[in-house]
């Protein structure tokens, strides 16, 4: 069974918990305790595969949230970066988070497939108070080569479910790629070893 670890990042009040709880329970719960980090577990089946999903929803202000950004690849297999379309400062925070993820990827991944990220513009139901247009979100996502989706955790389940499903599929591909690479480099070193031992012997015969 695959273990998939995701982290939700974004500024305070962007709706991280609302988006996650909508995905996990199909429900919208108006208020969440925002002074604690939460780790959610769920068993899922996607494309016929059983998965153990772990999602970290950090309290925006906590030091653990900052730690995750310091070692993102070690901690999570994929990220959901959430901003509030009716709050420009949350979009600026999302930009900074994407930059930090990219920097950390460059340091940690070294030629590896990129860690999957989805940029989410939440609170689409508040479009009368919109401060970030959809195009800006799309452009930012293109710049960071990540998926983008505007959603309303308050009003809809479908878009949120689709974005998590797509992200989890990307993560499964990344984990498969890593496992194949490990297997390949393992068999390459085994072949080298055999060649060293038997190749040398053959020469001396
Ligand atoms: N109108 C509207 N309100 C939302 C939506 N999603 C979340 N909210 C509200 O926004 C507020 C913040 O939501 P949270 O999910 O707690 O936000 P958060 O990003 O987890 O916040 P922190 O835990 O403080 O970092 C709550 O009052 C939610 O009810 C949405 O899609 N539409």
């Amino acid at each position: 069974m695959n273990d998939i670890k995701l982290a939700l990042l974004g500024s305070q009040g962007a709706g991280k918990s609302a988006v996650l709880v909508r995905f996990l329970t199909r429900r919208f719960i108006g208020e969440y305790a925002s002074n604690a980090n939460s780790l959610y577990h769920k068993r899922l089946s996607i494309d016929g595969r059983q998965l153990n999903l772990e999602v970290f929803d950090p309290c925006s202000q906590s030091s653990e949230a900052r730690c995750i950004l310091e070692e993102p690849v070690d901690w999570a297999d994929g990220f959901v970066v959430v901003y509030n379309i009716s709050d420009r400062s949350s979009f600026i925070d999302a930009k900074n988070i994407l930059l930090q993820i990219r920097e950390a990827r460059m340091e940690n991944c070294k030629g590896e497939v990129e860690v999957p990220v989805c940029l989410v513009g939440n609170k689409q139901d508040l479009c009368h108070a919109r401060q970030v247009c959809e195009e800006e979100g799309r452009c930012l996502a293109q710049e960071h080569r990540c998926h983008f989706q505007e959603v309303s955790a308050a009003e809809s389940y479908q878009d949120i479910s689709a974005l998590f499903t797509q992200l989890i599929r990307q993560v499964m591909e990344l984990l498969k790629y890593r496992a194949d690479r490990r297997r390949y480099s393992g068999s390459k070193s085994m072949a080298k070893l055999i060649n060293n031992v038997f190749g040398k012997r053959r020469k001396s015969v």
Side-chain angles (χ1 to χ4, degrees):
M1 194 179 298
N2 277 328
D3 289 329
I4 307 265
K5 289 188 182 125
L6 302 180
L8 273 118
L9 300 170
S11 53
Q12 201 173 9
K16 298 179 296 297
S17 306
V19 166
L20 177 60
V21 171
R22 182 59 111 165
F23 170 63
L24 296 175
T25 68
R26 293 180 172 237
R27 290 189 304 151
F28 175 65
I29 298 162
E31 295 304 324
Y32 307 86
S34 64
N35 56 353
N37 297 314
S38 308
L39 186 61
Y40 294 81
H41 298 265
K42 191 174 169 83
R43 285 202 169 182
L44 292 177
S45 171
I46 291 183
D47 303 332
R49 279 202 251 166
Q50 298 296 314
L51 310 169
N52 272 327
L53 179 67
E54 268 191 324
V55 190
F56 187 58
D57 177 11
C59 163
S60 310
Q61 302 306 312
S62 75
S63 55
E64 284 89 341
R66 285 190 288 276
C67 285
I68 282 179
L69 276 178
E70 280 162 21
E71 293 183 40
V73 180
D74 288 346
W75 196 88
D77 303 312
F79 295 92
V80 180
V81 178
V82 183
Y83 68 90
N84 168 1
I85 66 149
S86 66
D87 173 11
R88 175 152 289 275
S89 67
S90 73
F91 184 64
I92 293 165
D93 285 347
K95 269 188 189 177
N96 289 332
I97 290 168
L98 288 173
L99 276 176
Q100 288 179 61
I101 293 174
R102 187 155 79 183
E103 278 167 20
R105 276 173 179 174
M106 282 176 182
E107 279 171 24
N108 295 343
C109 291
K110 292 188 185 101
E112 213 194 38
V113 169
E114 290 177 347
V115 175
V117 179
C118 182
L119 176 65
V120 178
N122 186 36
K123 309 199 187 182
Q124 199 183 30
D125 54 295
L126 300 182
C127 58
H128 51 278
R130 184 187 277 278
Q131 291 184 0
V132 184
C133 66
E134 194 169 358
E135 198 49 31
E136 284 180 273
R138 192 167 293 117
C139 285
L140 180 62
Q142 270 170 8
E143 202 182 302
H144 288 271
R145 293 197 298 269
C146 66
H147 182 66
F148 169 69
Q149 183 74 52
E150 276 199 357
V151 302
S152 167
E155 289 189 342
S156 137
Y157 165 73
Q158 295 306 332
D159 290 343
I160 292 176
S161 167
L163 78 86
F164 271 96
T165 305
Q166 178 171 355
L167 186 69
I168 291 168
R169 282 201 182 105
Q170 283 182 287
V171 167
M172 289 196 294
E173 275 174 31
L174 173 71
L175 296 182
K176 183 176 176 316
Y177 172 84
R178 281 182 185 159
D180 287 349
R181 225 169 68 145
R182 268 198 304 272
R183 213 172 302 131
Y184 175 68
S185 62
S187 59
K188 239 172 69 176
S189 23
M190 186 55 78
K192 218 168 152 185
L193 186 72
I194 292 171
N195 204 29
N196 282 347
V197 174
F198 293 102
K200 271 182 194 151
R201 255 193 213 164
R202 221 177 290 131
K203 264 187 212 158
S204 63
V205 170

